[in-house]
Amino acid sequence: MNKTIASLIVATTLFSGSVLASVNQGLNLIVTPQKGGAWVTVEKDGAPQAGLDVTVKGGQKQHYTTSESGRVFVYSSFEAARSMTFEVSDEDGTTVSTQRFISSNRS
């Protein structure tokens, strides 16, 4: 029984490590929803990407530019909660998009 549990823990650890290693390669779009918007971080090979255009689709199309830290706060102009699609392209033409649920900006 203990060998089975130990084997499962080792297998899970190895799988998780390989998933995390693949996340840090290439263009990566990280969206952290907040009330009334979301923090968007853009990295390439683990390094922050400044000056990239982040496009938000979900009603009106909005454009934001990442700061030197590769981050930007995207505001939701909607009073109701909804899903929004975030998209970014780098200078090589690589495009990454993701969809997140953004809660209402009401108090």
Side-chain angles (χ1 to χ4, degrees):
M1 179 77 166
N2 287 340
K3 287 184 180 182
T4 304
I5 293 173
S7 297
L8 287 173
I9 291 172
V10 170
T12 303
T13 303
L14 290 174
F15 177 74
S16 298
S18 66
V19 169
L20 290 175
S22 68
V23 168
N24 288 332
Q25 296 176 0
L27 191 61
N28 193 15
L29 178 62
I30 304 160
V31 179
T32 308
Q34 303 285 314
K35 184 175 183 176
W39 279 105
V40 177
T41 304
V42 181
E43 297 177 344
K44 186 170 187 177
D45 298 326
Q49 298 298 293
L52 292 184
D53 185 47
V54 176
T55 305
V56 183
K57 301 171 187 173
Q60 299 174 351
K61 198 172 194 181
Q62 304 167 340
H63 295 275
Y64 297 86
T65 304
T66 58
S67 66
E68 290 180 11
S69 64
R71 294 183 71 187
V72 65
F73 189 81
V74 173
Y75 293 93
S76 173
S77 58
F78 304 105
E79 288 195 29
R82 68 178 52 225
S83 288
M84 298 173 73
T85 302
F86 301 84
E87 183 177 277
V88 66
S89 297
D90 66 6
E91 61 279 350
D92 298 330
T94 304
T95 301
V96 177
S97 67
T98 188
Q99 189 175 38
R100 292 290 185 273
F101 184 78
I102 308 299
S103 62
S104 169
N105 62 6
R106 292 183 195 178
S107 298

